[in-house]
Amino acid sequence: MHSFRYTQGELFAENVSLQSLAEQHGTPLYVYSKATITGHFTRLDAALGQLDHLICYAVKANSNLAVLSTIAKLGGGFDIVSAGELYRVIKAGGDASKCTFAGVGKTRDEIVYALEQGVYCINAESEAELRYINQVAGEIGKKAPVAVRVNPNVDAKTHAKITTGKSENKFGIEFENILEVYGRVAAEMPNLQIKGLQMHIGSQLTSVDPFVEAVKKVVPLVQEVKDKYGIQFFSIGGGIGINYKQSLDSGDEGWWQENSEVHPLTVQAYAEAVVPHLAPLGLRILCEPGRFMVGNAGVLLTKVLYEKRGAAKTFKIVDAGMNDLIRPTLYEGWHMITPLKQPATDAVEKVDVVGPICETGDFLAQNREIPLVNEGDYLAVLSAGAYGFTMASNYNTRPMPAEILVDGDKATVVRERQTLEDVLKGEHIA
Ligand code: LLP
């Protein structure tokens, strides 16, 4: 679901023309739709309705303050993985007491900051980490709320770089060792309060089956931990995949069509499959969606600078590169690319859409049939709202793009484009 569609020959985000935004603010430019984010939150919230639940949005997917503020106002919590992300949540008006703190390598400063701010829970990923949190909490006179992340050894059947729930991945503690670890926490770590159990098997899952397999495997363990240690919650992690191949025509349901041939996983199907296994636990269920919430709520706008017809290929050289959107080259991510001005004909041409970075891996699409576009035309790279800007860098000393949030017919610059002074800030000649 998303709020991007062609109206009178131009691509719009809600009621705002993307062409006008590109002309006014320059490119590369990230544009987000508030209605899309709100719609996703509301749909997931409704699908989990029969459970006592808390949606903890995974901040890493898109950490812009305006996005966080939108989710905070909807009542969402946050899944954070650094002190920086917690700082952002608080700046955006989010509630620390609705934050879970994940990640395998938390530092002392981060643990102290999280405890001082009063996070809901710290999700620990190793026994060494649990012992360290216990030590730090003792030193500052606090009791740390903790959950242990279980690695259920279930294959999420997604890209290898975003698979997290297999034994060979660095995440969590082996399923077989969990009860012993909780036992040692209860017996030997007096500054910890056992609050829950967490899992997350991977990202961009396009079938419910791995979710169901993991939930069915872990629920009996959760029940046992609940019986022994009186936990409050079970977090099922994030990972709900999105449809990267969408229709921009207005379908029967309004501005979007879910293409079930391409991607059968809907949030309703997800909830119908997992809720019956979770409800009997009688626990609070946490869910940590990142991509689902914001992926299809964002586009990256870019301008065609040059065309180069080589012996083997035609290249459309655009002004956004792998430093702005790294997903195509890092995960073989497929993002739909479409002109901001609707093409007059259905003619397409097979091209590589490449950026200005001096690397062969700098592409947004390869061997892709796109409508005919000329130098100076603008393109939208769709479904770029998750892991787009947050993974951007200053590689090649390129300033970070600006970000805009559209709400109805209003467009607000929610992060200014970096200047070269911004990029060089803090740097000195020895
Ligand atoms: N919870 C935990 C513990 C996670 O590690 C993650 C994502 C999430 C929740 C949210 O997962 P989501 O709902 O977004 O799938 N940069 C990659 C994705 C990395 C995901 C890392 N962990 C990409 O662009 O595909």
Side-chain angles (χ1 to χ4, degrees), residues 53-64:
H53 68 276
L54 178 65
I55 297 175
C56 290
Y57 164 67
V59 172
K60 64 173 83 70
N62 186 324
S63 58
N64 186 285

Side-chain angles (χ1 to χ4, degrees), residues 1-292:
M1 169 190 163
H2 61 76
S3 302
F4 297 89
R5 63 167 175 174
Y6 282 109
T7 306
Q8 288 165 353
E10 273 189 35
L11 192 61
F12 274 65
E14 302 187 29
N15 302 326
V16 176
S17 148
L18 291 173
Q19 176 86 18
S20 69
L21 289 180
E23 283 167 2
Q24 192 183 342
H25 300 280
T27 49
L29 183 70
Y30 275 99
V31 182
Y32 311 125
S33 151
K34 188 174 176 182
T36 308
I37 300 172
T38 305
H40 288 165
F41 186 96
T42 314
R43 275 208 299 162
L44 181 59
D45 205 30
L48 298 175
Q50 73 175 95
L51 298 171
D52 171 14
H53 68 276
L54 178 65
I55 297 175
C56 290
Y57 164 67
V59 172
K60 64 173 83 70
N62 186 324
S63 58
N64 186 285
L65 293 178
V67 171
L68 302 183
S69 154
T70 301
I71 289 167
K73 284 187 184 134
L74 290 164
F78 299 91
D79 170 52
I80 55 157
V81 292
S82 68
E85 287 190 349
L86 178 54
Y87 181 72
R88 278 182 176 279
V89 166
I90 293 166
K91 284 274 172 204
D95 191 347
S97 71
K98 288 184 178 174
C99 287
T100 53
F101 186 8
V104 296
K106 304 173 193 80
T107 63
R108 182 190 165 89
D109 285 352
E110 290 182 312
I111 295 165
V112 169
Y113 180 58
L115 292 177
E116 279 171 352
Q117 296 301 319
V119 295
Y120 180 62
C121 191
I122 301 182
N123 296 341
E125 306 230 13
S126 64
E127 193 163 338
E129 186 194 339
L130 283 162
R131 291 193 187 278
Y132 192 57
I133 299 169
N134 179 58
Q135 178 197 321
V136 172
E139 283 164 13
I140 63 168
K142 299 249 182 211
K143 198 142 176 133
V146 293
V148 175
R149 175 168 177 176
V150 57
N151 183 326
N153 194 23
V154 166
D155 188 354
K157 300 200 170 60
T158 182
H159 193 277
K161 286 197 180 115
I162 50 179
T163 293
T164 51
K166 292 281 288 167
S167 301
E168 61 264 34
N169 305 134
K170 69 179 176 181
F171 300 99
I173 293 180
E174 283 86 11
F175 180 85
E176 292 72 23
N177 297 338
I178 290 289
L179 275 177
E180 285 172 26
V181 170
Y182 275 99
R184 284 195 287 276
V185 170
E188 300 166 22
M189 304 178 209
N191 305 314
L192 302 185
Q193 178 207 353
I194 299 177
K195 199 147 176 192
L197 194 142
Q198 194 265 358
M199 71 171 186
H200 171 74
I201 58 172
S203 194
Q204 183 55 15
L205 274 70
T206 52
S207 151
V208 293
D209 299 345
F211 286 120
V212 174
E213 190 186 339
V215 164
K216 274 167 104 171
K217 182 167 179 184
V218 174
V219 158
L221 177 68
V222 179
Q223 185 65 52
E224 216 173 327
V225 175
K226 181 190 173 196
D227 294 343
K228 287 201 170 117
Y229 306 104
I231 54 171
Q232 293 176 14
F233 78 87
F234 173 36
S235 173
I236 55 174
I240 304 170
I242 62 166
N243 194 345
Y244 279 94
K245 297 186 181 170
Q246 305 232 16
S247 165
L248 291 167
D249 304 324
S250 46
D252 293 342
E253 299 199 62
W255 291 358
W256 59 279
Q257 284 177 324
E258 211 135 14
N259 186 343
S260 56
E261 281 164 36
V262 176
H263 182 337
L265 182 65
T266 62
V267 71
Q268 286 78 10
Y270 169 77
E272 271 165 32
V274 299
V275 168
H277 299 287
L278 298 169
L281 284 170
L283 286 174
R284 186 176 212 202
I285 301 298
L286 269 51
C287 179
E288 305 163 2
R291 190 187 319 260
F292 168 76

